[in-house]
Amino acid sequence: MTNTLESHIEELRREASHCDPAERAQIEAELEQARAELAAIVAAEDAEPPH
């Protein structure tokens, strides 16, 4: 799951650098949401005790 989110974040970053300002705001919002999801997943994985 994290690989998919990391790929999505990279794709959004590339899009944000090559679009008009109106689209950039929307892409930046999506990027922030994806980063928050990734951080939550990583935090949950770190909180799990090793098996």
Side-chain angles (χ1 to χ4, degrees):
M1 176 82 171
T2 58
N3 288 338
T4 302
L5 274 173
E6 289 169 345
S7 295
H8 185 61
I9 289 169
E10 285 303 313
E11 182 180 332
L12 288 170
R13 289 179 65 211
R14 283 191 300 271
E15 282 183 44
S17 66
H18 300 295
C19 66
D20 63 65
E23 285 181 307
R24 184 171 292 131
Q26 180 180 352
I27 292 170
E28 290 291 337
E30 290 179 40
L31 184 55
E32 184 64 28
Q33 181 179 4
R35 286 178 175 152
E37 287 178 37
L38 181 59
I41 290 170
V42 169
E45 289 176 351
D46 288 346
E48 290 181 11
H51 297 127

